[in-house]
Amino acid sequence: MLEEVERWLIDRSWSVADRPPHALLAAKRASGQTVSVVLPALDEEATVGDIVAVIRHDLMLQVPLVDEVVVIDSGSTDGTAAAAAAAGATVVHRDAILPRIPAVPGKGEVLWRSLLVTRGDIVCFVDADLRDFSSDFVTGIVGPLLTEPDVQLVKAMYDRPLGAAAGQGGRVTELMARPLLNMHWPQLAGFVQPLGGEYAARRSLLEQLPFPVGYGVELGMLVDALHLAGLDALAQVDVGVRKHRHQDGRALGRMAAAIYRTAQLRLARGHLIRPALTQFERSDEGFEPRTYSVDTEERPPMREIAEYQARRVA
C-alpha cells in the first residue's frame, strides 16, 4: 500500500461514534449548511418505508439534522412510492425530472436526476433495500462534511454478511472493483467499501461530476472525485453492519461488466470495447447464451444542464 494511503487511513477513516448527533447539529447550525437524503428506489416496498421512518424520527424530529428526505422512484411496479410517501418522504418519479432528456434505466441515472429536485448543500445517498436500518448510516457519512471543511465526499464502510456468513458480502467489490482500484488507482486502495451505496458529498462537488447511468456510478464517482478534489478531500466512516437484499450470480456478473466498462472509459477514453456481456443459462436443451448490453452512457456534470443553471440563478 502506498505511504500516502497509509497516512490517509489514519487521517480520513473514522467511526460513527466519533461525532454524536448533537455535536453534528451544533456544527450544522454554526455552518448554516442544509442536508438532503436521497433514496433511489426500484421495487423496494418491503424496506423503503422503514428506512424513511427511521431517518424522519431520529434525524428530523428528535435531532433536526436532515432537512429533506426524497425518494426517487425509478419505475417501481409494487407499492414503493406509496410506502415511502406514507412514511413521510417526498416521492418523485424519475421520469418527471428533466423530461426533455428521456430517462434510461439505471441507478446512476436516478442519482444524477436527484440533484435537480433536492436543495441540500450536502447530499446523502442511501440504498432503499437496507434491512435493520440505523440512522448511523446517515450521521456517519454526513458528519465529516459538517465538521471538516476540507472533506468533500464520504463513503460508509461496514461489514457485509452474506446470509449467516460474516464478511462474505460485497462479491463484486472483491472480485472486480478492488483489483481495478489497486492496479489503476492505488490512491483509492484504502476504501473498504468502494461500491457501497451509502455516501454523502457536497453539492458543489457532485454538480461537477459526470454520472455513469448504471452500476458503475460509485466507482466512477470515486475516481473522478479523486482527480478533481484529491485524496485528502475523500473520507470513510465505519457505521457497523449493512444488511440488504443480495442479487444472484448473473446479476452480479452484469454489475461487474458495467463497473469494468466505467473503469475502462476512465483509463482510455475513446478506446471502445464491446459493450455487451454474454452469460449462460441451462435449459432442457443444454446451456443457452443470454447477451446483455452493458451500461455505456454517462450523464454530463449537472452544472452544465440549463434547467439546473436556471434553478441556481433563481
Side-chain angles (χ1 to χ4, degrees), residues 103-122:
V104 298
K107 179 182 180 182
E109 176 83 352
V110 173
L111 300 184
W112 181 72
R113 290 174 186 266
S114 75
L115 297 181
L116 260 172
V117 293
T118 55
R119 292 283 182 177
D121 303 304
I122 295 169

Side-chain angles (χ1 to χ4, degrees), residues 18-31:
D18 293 336
R19 296 175 177 85
H22 286 86
L24 295 183
L25 181 59
K28 179 179 188 290
R29 287 171 171 165
S31 68

Side-chain angles (χ1 to χ4, degrees), residues 176 212 214-217 219 252-264 277 293-296:
M176 176 60 72
Y215 285 122
V217 63
L219 183 134
L252 295 179
R254 297 190 289 274
M255 183 186 301
I259 289 164
Y260 178 78
R261 169 64 171 173
T262 299
Q264 190 270 341
L277 174 71
S293 62
V294 174
D295 295 318
T296 60

Side-chain angles (χ1 to χ4, degrees), residues 160 162 168-177 246-249 252:
R160 295 185 68 179
L162 180 61
Q168 296 302 305
R171 291 162 287 174
V172 176
T173 292
E174 300 304 328
L175 296 174
M176 176 60 72
H246 292 280
Q247 301 193 56
D248 62 29
L252 295 179

Side-chain angles (χ1 to χ4, degrees), residues 20 30 43-44 59 83 94 133 143 172 197 211 226 237 240 250 272 277 292:
D43 294 331
E44 302 296 354
L59 304 179
R94 173 199 63 197
F133 178 77
V172 176
F211 276 61
L226 173 68
V237 175
R250 291 187 181 88
L272 301 181
L277 174 71
Y292 301 89

Side-chain angles (χ1 to χ4, degrees), residues 36 38 114-115 118 120-125 199-203 206:
S36 300
V38 172
S114 75
L115 297 181
T118 55
D121 303 304
I122 295 169
V123 183
C124 173
F125 298 118
Y199 49 99
R202 301 192 190 280
R203 177 177 294 272
L206 292 172

